[in-house]
């Protein structure tokens, strides 16, 4: 089962170009690989939290759970948060209270007892909000690194603390465009899916964007077999 969230039409900050396309492309390729998909496009805080709770309940006892997010993301005090389209920043505390944290999603997945958890974050863009509330952390960009729990694979669109490309409007972001191609390639082990995606993104961006992978999974998994 997969939970796919694509947030693009932000009400109180810069809208993005491609998260809707990214999310729909990811949902399509995962369905073709046999995943049941919960899809959220332009999710409010309430909608995102409800979807994460539904996902956490439905994956209990399943073999594989996958969480994908495309949209604005922020790090606060070394924790990563995914930003709803209706979020309005006034202080650092607002982020912690109103935005779902990646740690919360990971905890739900870890408690479900799945054999493999995959987290994909195409959310490493500049902090779009006024930095005045962030004090000494104003210079933090991108997302903070995450140590994966057991049986978990975590992939970022770029390395921690860096910023990723949103791509050309009407297409896919650079990272997701490459990733869906390799997920749909048959008989490719999961680590090679992410390695080849990273290699392609790095080459296409002339080294400016370097996808980052951290894994604590030591079994074999194929998205698609033929």
């Amino acid at each position: 089962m997969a939970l796919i969230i694509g947030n693009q039409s932000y009400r109180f900050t810069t809208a993005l170009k491609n998260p809707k396309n990214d999310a729909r492309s990811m949902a399509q390729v995962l369905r073709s690989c046999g995943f049941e998909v919960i899809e959220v496009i332009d999710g409010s805080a309430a909608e995102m939290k409800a979807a994460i709770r539904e996902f956490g309940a439905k994956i209990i006892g399943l073999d594989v759970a996958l969480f994908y997010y495309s949209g604005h993301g922020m790090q606060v005090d070394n924790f990563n948060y995914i930003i709803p389209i209706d979020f309005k920043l006034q202080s650092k505390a607002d982020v912690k209270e109103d935005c779902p944290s990646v740690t919360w999603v990971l905890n739900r997945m870890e408690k479900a007892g799945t054999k493999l958890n995959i987290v994909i974050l195409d959310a490493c863009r500049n902090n779009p909000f006024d930095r005045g509330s962030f004090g000494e952390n104003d210079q933090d960009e991108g997302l903070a690194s995450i140590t994966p729990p057991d049986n978990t694979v975590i992939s970022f669109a770029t390395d921690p603390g860096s910023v990723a490309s949103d791509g050309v409007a009407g297409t896919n972001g650079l990272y997701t465009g490459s990733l869906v191609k390799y997920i749909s390639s048959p008989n490719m082990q999961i680590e090679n899916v992410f390695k080849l995606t990273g290699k392609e993104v790095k080459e296409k961006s002339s080294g400016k964007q370097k996808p980052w992978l951290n894994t604590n999974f030591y079994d074999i998994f194929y998205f698609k077999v033929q």
Side-chain angles (χ1 to χ4, degrees), residues 20 22-23 36 40 49 59 73 82 104 128 139 152 161 164 170 188 196 203 220:
K20 290 181 184 181
D22 289 340
E36 180 182 344
V40 177
K49 290 175 181 178
I59 61 175
I82 53 179
W104 180 45
Q139 299 306 311
T152 301
M188 187 177 293
L196 290 172
E203 289 173 352
I220 295 171

Side-chain angles (χ1 to χ4, degrees), residues 87-108:
F87 176 66
K88 188 173 185 179
L89 178 70
Q90 293 178 298
S91 72
K92 187 187 294 187
D94 293 336
V95 181
K96 297 179 179 181
E97 292 171 3
D98 297 339
C99 301
S101 72
V102 176
T103 299
W104 180 45
V105 177
L106 278 167
N107 287 342
R108 288 283 175 132

Side-chain angles (χ1 to χ4, degrees), residues 26 65-71 80 82 102 106 109 116-124 143-149 151-160 164 174-176 178-180 182-183 190-199 201 209-217 223:
M26 184 62 65
L66 185 149
F67 175 77
Y68 170 89
Y69 175 76
S70 181
N80 296 314
I82 53 179
V102 176
L106 278 167
M109 296 172 81
L116 169 60
N117 291 317
I118 305 165
V119 174
I120 302 169
L121 299 171
D122 193 354
C124 310
L143 299 178
S145 71
I146 303 172
T147 300
N151 303 314
T152 301
V153 175
I154 301 173
S155 180
F156 287 91
T158 192
D159 49 334
L174 180 57
Y175 170 76
T176 294
S178 295
L179 181 58
V180 294
Y182 289 111
I183 285 176
I190 185 170
E191 62 267 29
N192 291 331
V193 167
F194 287 110
K195 284 179 181 178
L196 290 172
T197 297
K199 182 175 184 286
V201 170
Q209 183 174 336
K210 296 173 284 187
W212 179 82
L213 181 67
N214 200 354
T215 179
N216 198 354
F217 177 70
F223 282 99

Side-chain angles (χ1 to χ4, degrees), residues 7 9 14 21 48 50 62 67 88 108 116 118 148 171 178 186 198:
N7 285 352
S9 305
T14 311
N21 294 330
M48 290 171 68
L62 297 186
F67 175 77
K88 188 173 185 179
R108 288 283 175 132
L116 169 60
I118 305 165
T171 60
S178 295

